[in-house]
Amino acid sequence: MKIHNQFLKLYQLHAGTDELSVTLGEIAGVLDCTQRNALMIIRKMESRGWISWQARRGRGRRSQLTFLIGPGEVAAESMIQAVERREIKQAVDDIRTYARSASMQEHLQGWLLQYFGHHTTRGEGQSQVDTLRIPLRQQLHTFDPLSINLLAESFVTSHIFDGLVRRDECGRILPHLALGWEISEDRTRWSFVLRKEVFFHNGKLLAADDVVFSIRRLMQSSGRMLYSFIVRNILSVQASGPSEVEFTLKEPNELFLPFLCTSRAVIVPRELDHHPPAVFARSPVGTGPFKLADSDQGLCVLEVFRQYFRGRAQLDRVEIVQLPWNLGSDEEDSPDQTSPFHIIHHPTTPGTTSSSGGNSSGSHIQSGSYVRKFITFNTQKTGPLQDTAIRASICRMLEMDRFNRDSDAAFRDNIKPGSSGSLPLPVELTLATIPQYRQEARTLADLLERNGCSCRLNVLSVEAFKGSSRMEADLILFSLIRDQDMHLRQYDLYETLAGHVEPHSRIDIERLLRQAAQTYEEAARTDCFLQIEERLIQAHQLHILYERPVQTAYLPSVRGVSFNSQGWVDLRHIWFPPKR
């Protein structure tokens, strides 16, 4: 990879021409080496067919260097070697200048189609080892269910850990680690009976104490986390026998059982309290169909857990490679990264199926999940947005104005067209969001500026965003994942938004949330959330920017493609037919 970086540095001297008049001393200066080493590097590049070098000796005479290959091809080759050597971050830093090169994209994508996907090797006793390589947009910071924030982290942990219950593809809640459960008449006591002979990856048998430890760990956490409203409602959890666990709730809550299906409520071994949290975050132990075999910068390797209680997965190994698809900008500036993993690396690569048909080597499928992007108005902050007329003007402006060509396609295609123009909004605003949405936030801020607002962008870390820092902003940009856990997500969202609005609106929202939580019928619960949404929209305290389906691209040879409750591909069911 060093020779690739040296070529790219040298190419920066060419100033748009294929031939360069240069001295060996100048090359040595660019490459930060001696003239002797510079000549060795020149010869190495010549042997690769990258350049031709015509040396001219004598004082004042300049040699001729001709570039025979473009930087895109060299940058692509550097990236390929980086993936193979697990040195992705360094390679990205080296080639970022050339990331938008059509030549680089063509070479890189062609190779990626071969590198990712299904591969077979021979293991012990000549048995076939099936490996699936998949790329990932997001970086994996942790595998601890207590600390996960990103959807990608949730995807990985969903294959390492299990919960007491699970959802099937139709959304029905079924027994999982638990054989079944019973509920008291007042619906505040929930008793679960655990399966026997369920093993953790370290060989330990699952027991009721593990469940108690896992839930108490959530209850004792001081950090702000998703679905904390459910955890706050748990009065106690205790083992009533070796395989029996009883929960007592402070008040009935029909979202309690759906919560137990989520990656937040999975079961970890009770011995975890003897290990530092940072160790478990990178070396997790669960009961899931795959166990973590390796994890370092840019790569996560899962291996099949042969003793899995629901049966062994067909895949033997899954290699998850973190690739920054938007190489031309900082990772945190990349557009919305809520798309799931792809069985092949991207639905728009050459040879994949498109809506227009044609030759293809790939297919698309919708998971049934949607991403909804929205902004909220913080009327708790003293300022212009306490004026309903100004909030209404901003909402009308967002409806009327199509975002410029630099906007994400979701904005351009989904915001209703109309006549654009400056609106009388001589106000100063602050827009808060998280790093993953920085680009869209900039688009919004630019639009507000063009229409008379002075808008300052405040990009907060995920942890800071979950705290009180976002309340210093006037506008907040965020998203909602609409999947089988949608009611949990909506409750969590609207409970948060209740802190952004006026007291009378907050009272109504909290009343409807309480009603939703205690409503057994799902349709009636949906109606409660719709009432909250309509109330917020009518009061111009919530504005939905767009909603789009989440798609997964996969090779047609893939069998068993199915999705979990969050719209992720379930790797346990994936298999590949023999190659003919």
Side-chain angles (χ1 to χ4, degrees), residues 306-318:
R306 298 176 185 275
Q307 290 77 38
Y308 187 55
F309 73 96
R310 293 187 64 204
R312 181 199 196 281
Q314 285 298 110
L315 288 173
D316 298 289
R317 182 180 174 94
V318 179

PDB file of all heavy atoms in Angstrom, residues 306-318:
ATOM      1  N   ARG A 306     -22.474 -23.955  17.165  1.00  0.00           N
ATOM      2  CA  ARG A 306     -23.035 -25.257  16.801  1.00  0.00           C
ATOM      3  C   ARG A 306     -24.065 -25.770  17.810  1.00  0.00           C
ATOM      4  O   ARG A 306     -24.923 -26.590  17.466  1.00  0.00           O
ATOM      5  CB  ARG A 306     -21.906 -26.283  16.641  1.00  0.00           C
ATOM      6  CG  ARG A 306     -20.918 -25.919  15.529  1.00  0.00           C
ATOM      7  CD  ARG A 306     -19.746 -26.903  15.462  1.00  0.00           C
ATOM      8  NE  ARG A 306     -18.767 -26.479  14.470  1.00  0.00           N
ATOM      9  CZ  ARG A 306     -18.830 -26.752  13.172  1.00  0.00           C
ATOM     10  NH1 ARG A 306     -19.837 -27.477  12.724  1.00  0.00           N
ATOM     11  NH2 ARG A 306     -17.898 -26.336  12.345  1.00  0.00           N
ATOM     12  N   GLN A 307     -23.983 -25.296  19.040  1.00  0.00           N
ATOM     13  CA  GLN A 307     -24.910 -25.781  20.072  1.00  0.00           C
ATOM     14  C   GLN A 307     -26.151 -24.893  20.200  1.00  0.00           C
ATOM     15  O   GLN A 307     -26.865 -24.964  21.210  1.00  0.00           O
ATOM     16  CB  GLN A 307     -24.199 -25.855  21.429  1.00  0.00           C
ATOM     17  CG  GLN A 307     -23.151 -26.947  21.539  1.00  0.00           C
ATOM     18  CD  GLN A 307     -21.861 -26.595  20.833  1.00  0.00           C
ATOM     19  OE1 GLN A 307     -21.430 -25.440  20.868  1.00  0.00           O
ATOM     20  NE2 GLN A 307     -21.244 -27.569  20.188  1.00  0.00           N
ATOM     21  N   TYR A 308     -26.433 -24.094  19.189  1.00  0.00           N
ATOM     22  CA  TYR A 308     -27.578 -23.176  19.294  1.00  0.00           C
ATOM     23  C   TYR A 308     -28.870 -23.962  19.492  1.00  0.00           C
ATOM     24  O   TYR A 308     -29.118 -24.959  18.797  1.00  0.00           O
ATOM     25  CB  TYR A 308     -27.670 -22.322  18.038  1.00  0.00           C
ATOM     26  CG  TYR A 308     -28.708 -21.231  18.132  1.00  0.00           C
ATOM     27  CD1 TYR A 308     -28.687 -20.320  19.178  1.00  0.00           C
ATOM     28  CD2 TYR A 308     -29.722 -21.132  17.191  1.00  0.00           C
ATOM     29  CE1 TYR A 308     -29.631 -19.318  19.276  1.00  0.00           C
ATOM     30  CE2 TYR A 308     -30.680 -20.122  17.270  1.00  0.00           C
ATOM     31  CZ  TYR A 308     -30.634 -19.221  18.318  1.00  0.00           C
ATOM     32  OH  TYR A 308     -31.575 -18.238  18.418  1.00  0.00           O
ATOM     33  N   PHE A 309     -29.703 -23.492  20.426  1.00  0.00           N
ATOM     34  CA  PHE A 309     -30.863 -24.282  20.853  1.00  0.00           C
ATOM     35  C   PHE A 309     -31.940 -24.408  19.780  1.00  0.00           C
ATOM     36  O   PHE A 309     -32.751 -25.331  19.819  1.00  0.00           O
ATOM     37  CB  PHE A 309     -31.454 -23.696  22.141  1.00  0.00           C
ATOM     38  CG  PHE A 309     -32.212 -22.409  21.962  1.00  0.00           C
ATOM     39  CD1 PHE A 309     -33.587 -22.396  21.823  1.00  0.00           C
ATOM     40  CD2 PHE A 309     -31.535 -21.193  21.928  1.00  0.00           C
ATOM     41  CE1 PHE A 309     -34.288 -21.209  21.668  1.00  0.00           C
ATOM     42  CE2 PHE A 309     -32.219 -20.010  21.781  1.00  0.00           C
ATOM     43  CZ  PHE A 309     -33.603 -20.007  21.646  1.00  0.00           C
ATOM     44  N   ARG A 310     -31.926 -23.508  18.787  1.00  0.00           N
ATOM     45  CA  ARG A 310     -32.929 -23.603  17.717  1.00  0.00           C
ATOM     46  C   ARG A 310     -32.366 -24.271  16.464  1.00  0.00           C
ATOM     47  O   ARG A 310     -33.024 -24.315  15.439  1.00  0.00           O
ATOM     48  CB  ARG A 310     -33.449 -22.213  17.360  1.00  0.00           C
ATOM     49  CG  ARG A 310     -34.265 -21.565  18.466  1.00  0.00           C
ATOM     50  CD  ARG A 310     -34.882 -20.279  17.977  1.00  0.00           C
ATOM     51  NE  ARG A 310     -35.836 -20.518  16.897  1.00  0.00           N
ATOM     52  CZ  ARG A 310     -36.174 -19.614  15.989  1.00  0.00           C
ATOM     53  NH1 ARG A 310     -35.610 -18.407  16.020  1.00  0.00           N
ATOM     54  NH2 ARG A 310     -37.057 -19.891  15.066  1.00  0.00           N
ATOM     55  N   GLY A 311     -31.178 -24.808  16.571  1.00  0.00           N
ATOM     56  CA  GLY A 311     -30.575 -25.479  15.431  1.00  0.00           C
ATOM     57  C   GLY A 311     -29.453 -24.669  14.808  1.00  0.00           C
ATOM     58  O   GLY A 311     -29.489 -23.440  14.751  1.00  0.00           O
ATOM     59  N   ARG A 312     -28.461 -25.349  14.332  1.00  0.00           N
ATOM     60  CA  ARG A 312     -27.268 -24.739  13.761  1.00  0.00           C
ATOM     61  C   ARG A 312     -27.606 -23.956  12.493  1.00  0.00           C
ATOM     62  O   ARG A 312     -28.376 -24.405  11.651  1.00  0.00           O
ATOM     63  CB  ARG A 312     -26.278 -25.846  13.421  1.00  0.00           C
ATOM     64  CG  ARG A 312     -24.968 -25.384  12.829  1.00  0.00           C
ATOM     65  CD  ARG A 312     -24.305 -26.560  12.115  1.00  0.00           C
ATOM     66  NE  ARG A 312     -22.898 -26.317  11.839  1.00  0.00           N
ATOM     67  CZ  ARG A 312     -22.453 -25.577  10.842  1.00  0.00           C
ATOM     68  NH1 ARG A 312     -23.320 -24.968  10.032  1.00  0.00           N
ATOM     69  NH2 ARG A 312     -21.163 -25.423  10.647  1.00  0.00           N
ATOM     70  N   ALA A 313     -26.990 -22.776  12.337  1.00  0.00           N
ATOM     71  CA  ALA A 313     -27.125 -22.013  11.092  1.00  0.00           C
ATOM     72  C   ALA A 313     -26.360 -22.721   9.984  1.00  0.00           C
ATOM     73  O   ALA A 313     -25.404 -23.463  10.231  1.00  0.00           O
ATOM     74  CB  ALA A 313     -26.589 -20.597  11.277  1.00  0.00           C
ATOM     75  N   GLN A 314     -26.761 -22.484   8.725  1.00  0.00           N
ATOM     76  CA  GLN A 314     -26.073 -23.095   7.599  1.00  0.00           C
ATOM     77  C   GLN A 314     -24.728 -22.422   7.315  1.00  0.00           C
ATOM     78  O   GLN A 314     -23.782 -23.071   6.892  1.00  0.00           O
ATOM     79  CB  GLN A 314     -26.956 -23.040   6.351  1.00  0.00           C
ATOM     80  CG  GLN A 314     -28.090 -24.040   6.362  1.00  0.00           C
ATOM     81  CD  GLN A 314     -27.588 -25.473   6.399  1.00  0.00           C
ATOM     82  OE1 GLN A 314     -27.721 -26.173   7.399  1.00  0.00           O
ATOM     83  NE2 GLN A 314     -26.984 -25.925   5.306  1.00  0.00           N
ATOM     84  N   LEU A 315     -24.673 -21.110   7.507  1.00  0.00           N
ATOM     85  CA  LEU A 315     -23.411 -20.407   7.319  1.00  0.00           C
ATOM     86  C   LEU A 315     -22.436 -20.789   8.419  1.00  0.00           C
ATOM     87  O   LEU A 315     -22.815 -20.934   9.586  1.00  0.00           O
ATOM     88  CB  LEU A 315     -23.629 -18.893   7.344  1.00  0.00           C
ATOM     89  CG  LEU A 315     -24.333 -18.258   6.138  1.00  0.00           C
ATOM     90  CD1 LEU A 315     -24.629 -16.793   6.405  1.00  0.00           C
ATOM     91  CD2 LEU A 315     -23.471 -18.407   4.883  1.00  0.00           C
ATOM     92  N   ASP A 316     -21.166 -20.953   8.059  1.00  0.00           N
ATOM     93  CA  ASP A 316     -20.137 -21.263   9.049  1.00  0.00           C
ATOM     94  C   ASP A 316     -19.463 -20.005   9.571  1.00  0.00           C
ATOM     95  O   ASP A 316     -19.010 -19.975  10.718  1.00  0.00           O
ATOM     96  CB  ASP A 316     -19.067 -22.171   8.425  1.00  0.00           C
ATOM     97  CG  ASP A 316     -19.646 -23.495   7.979  1.00  0.00           C
ATOM     98  OD1 ASP A 316     -19.990 -24.304   8.855  1.00  0.00           O
ATOM     99  OD2 ASP A 316     -19.773 -23.700   6.756  1.00  0.00           O
ATOM    100  N   ARG A 317     -19.424 -18.987   8.739  1.00  0.00           N
ATOM    101  CA  ARG A 317     -18.652 -17.797   9.085  1.00  0.00           C
ATOM    102  C   ARG A 317     -19.245 -16.589   8.368  1.00  0.00           C
ATOM    103  O   ARG A 317     -19.643 -16.674   7.209  1.00  0.00           O
ATOM    104  CB  ARG A 317     -17.191 -18.017   8.655  1.00  0.00           C
ATOM    105  CG  ARG A 317     -16.218 -16.896   8.969  1.00  0.00           C
ATOM    106  CD  ARG A 317     -14.830 -17.296   8.474  1.00  0.00           C
ATOM    107  NE  ARG A 317     -13.851 -16.227   8.600  1.00  0.00           N
ATOM    108  CZ  ARG A 317     -13.029 -16.062   9.624  1.00  0.00           C
ATOM    109  NH1 ARG A 317     -13.074 -16.909  10.637  1.00  0.00           N
ATOM    110  NH2 ARG A 317     -12.160 -15.065   9.653  1.00  0.00           N
ATOM    111  N   VAL A 318     -19.304 -15.465   9.077  1.00  0.00           N
ATOM    112  CA  VAL A 318     -19.760 -14.201   8.494  1.00  0.00           C
ATOM    113  C   VAL A 318     -18.693 -13.158   8.758  1.00  0.00           C
ATOM    114  O   VAL A 318     -18.298 -12.941   9.907  1.00  0.00           O
ATOM    115  CB  VAL A 318     -21.103 -13.748   9.103  1.00  0.00           C
ATOM    116  CG1 VAL A 318     -21.539 -12.416   8.484  1.00  0.00           C
ATOM    117  CG2 VAL A 318     -22.176 -14.806   8.903  1.00  0.00           C
TER     118      VAL A 318
END
